[in-house]
Amino acid sequence: MDFQTFGTVLLQVLVGGLSLGVLYAIIALGYTMVYGVLQLINFAHSEVFIAGGIVGFLVFDAVKASSMNGYLKLLLACIAAMAVSGLLNVIIERLAYRPLRGAQRLVPLITAIGVSLILQDLLRFLVGLRGQFDLSVPLPQGFGNPISSLFGLDISLLNLQVKDLILIVVAVVMLIGLNLLVNRTQLGRAIRAVAHDRQTSGLMGIDANRIISLTFLIGGALGGLGGVMFAMKYQALNAYSGTLPGIKAFTAAVLGGIGSIPGAVLGGLVLGWLETLLGVISLFSSVPGLHWLGAIKAEYKDLGAFLALILILFLKPAGLLGRSAAEKV
């Protein structure tokens, strides 16, 4: 492998890992926000996320023959998915988690797994009403086109498509907005107060139940947005498609330091870059002394990412931005 090829592969890993990492970060924020206020791992979030993807598919499918601008179609899909996933998350909290507050921590954890399984089959049933199992997402025209130049620079070697750039831009805008919401608004201060001490926040006039419901609403909406981005990126999904990305996003949240918004973002990016690098690392087997890399096939990228997680947590058990350094939501 010559130097130019090495540089091209490295750039492709950076860009590909970025688009994958921000997707994990969007999903991971749903886990970390709920954990921040309730110390609950909401395993049903992967189904809330893929429910948003299915809603996004339905919107794309309904307007595919329309002459409407593609970005407007995407906006409609995002709004619908965020509304449905946010509401679904609120309903889950109200019916399944709230009655269990005060119970041993294992009880809501098992409940979350049960809710996840119920939602999987419910989504499969609803999708099955269309006579389909696997859904092929019709992208708006032009979203799959390659980008050959950006700001006057030739980036054709990066294999970047319009949908990848949209994903990155949407993620950055969403992360900035969430940061402003949590740190600069009254609602954000109330969320942080409940996360810090629920009983004391109640004495200060904060309705903890309302704040927790709003936190679930925001977390679910982020999951729905992530679902649309997932559907747009991979163009194929079914009722069970949320499981693996959900596990990876949860892994990203843990890797970054669960309960921390910056940690979820950092964890998502690290996981995205690791996974992308491991997917192409066999290309470096032609480098003298690195022939053994040829045995690491792309199929091992998931395993390698989790092994890296174990290693990092072994060295830093609280995650990259551990509890002592993290700002809880």
Side-chain angles (χ1 to χ4, degrees), residues 57-58 123-135:
F57 158 78
L58 294 174
L123 289 172
R124 180 180 180 179
F125 171 75
L126 293 175
V127 171
L129 294 178
R130 295 173 54 93
Q132 295 173 289
F133 178 76
D134 293 311
L135 304 175

Side-chain angles (χ1 to χ4, degrees), residues 85-308:
S85 293
L87 183 60
L88 178 60
N89 220 23
V90 171
I91 292 173
I92 292 171
E93 186 274 332
R94 185 65 184 86
L95 297 182
Y97 299 151
R98 188 177 299 185
L100 299 177
R101 278 187 213 160
Q104 293 182 359
R105 296 185 67 176
L106 188 60
V107 176
L109 185 68
I110 297 298
T111 301
I113 295 173
V115 171
S116 172
L117 296 175
I118 291 172
L119 284 179
Q120 278 185 357
D121 284 333
L122 182 60
L123 289 172
R124 180 180 180 179
F125 171 75
L126 293 175
V127 171
L129 294 178
R130 295 173 54 93
Q132 295 173 289
F133 178 76
D134 293 311
L135 304 175
S136 181
V137 181
L139 280 184
Q141 188 174 10
F143 278 26
N145 293 345
I147 301 176
S148 58
S149 66
L150 188 65
F151 302 118
L153 299 174
D154 183 4
I155 60 169
S156 55
L157 293 175
L158 298 181
N159 293 328
L160 191 66
Q161 296 181 343
V162 172
K163 61 182 181 181
D164 297 316
L165 188 60
I166 292 173
L167 197 164
I168 294 171
V169 171
V170 168
V172 171
V173 171
M174 185 275 298
L175 293 173
I176 293 174
L178 182 63
N179 184 61
L180 292 175
L181 172 71
V182 171
N183 294 301
R184 301 292 180 86
T185 67
Q186 188 173 358
L187 173 60
R189 286 191 288 272
I191 292 175
R192 284 184 289 152
V194 172
H196 183 71
D197 190 327
R198 195 186 316 164
Q199 291 184 336
T200 303
S201 65
L203 296 174
M204 299 174 69
I206 296 175
D207 186 342
N209 285 331
R210 175 174 168 272
I211 296 302
I212 290 172
S213 292
L214 287 173
T215 304
F216 270 81
L217 178 67
I218 295 169
L222 292 174
L225 179 63
V228 175
M229 296 297 109
F230 177 85
M232 185 178 69
K233 182 175 178 62
Y234 295 104
Q235 296 182 248
L237 73 163
N238 58 51
Y240 301 99
S241 296
T243 303
L244 186 57
I247 292 174
K248 290 182 179 178
F250 173 67
T251 302
V254 175
L255 179 64
I258 193 162
S260 163
I261 289 178
V265 177
L266 179 61
L269 291 175
V270 170
L271 201 61
W273 279 318
L274 271 176
E275 188 175 321
T276 306
L277 176 62
L278 289 170
V280 299
I281 201 167
S282 61
L283 296 176
F284 296 97
S285 60
S286 59
V287 177
L290 298 179
H291 62 279
W292 54 273
L293 291 178
I296 305 177
K297 305 300 183 185
E299 292 80 6
Y300 293 127
K301 61 181 181 181
D302 295 335
L303 178 63
F306 288 119
L307 287 175

